[in-house]
Amino acid sequence: STHLHHHGDGQALHALLFGPPPGDDAALIALADQLDALEREVRRP
């Protein structure tokens, strides 16, 4: 969780992981970008 400081108090992280599915292609791309960024943060030493 220390690597996830930019996700606030956890609500944004929860919404990212468990929120509603994207409504269109642009939202899907944005979600994929956010998940990629999250993965990079988690893997960072």
Side-chain angles (χ1 to χ4, degrees), residues 1-10 13 38 41-42 44:
S1 66
T2 57
H3 291 296
L4 305 177
H5 56 84
H6 67 277
H7 289 286
D9 62 2
L13 179 60
L38 176 61
E41 286 292 316
V42 170
R44 191 176 71 192

Side-chain angles (χ1 to χ4, degrees), residues 1-2 4 7 14 17 21-22 30-32 34 40:
S1 66
T2 57
L4 305 177
H7 289 286
H14 187 271
L17 296 175
L31 176 61
Q34 292 172 330
R40 283 191 301 275

Side-chain angles (χ1 to χ4, degrees), residues 20-43:
D24 58 19
D25 288 347
L28 178 60
I29 291 169
L31 176 61
D33 289 343
Q34 292 172 330
L35 291 171
D36 284 342
L38 176 61
E39 184 177 7
R40 283 191 301 275
E41 286 292 316
V42 170
R43 290 178 182 255

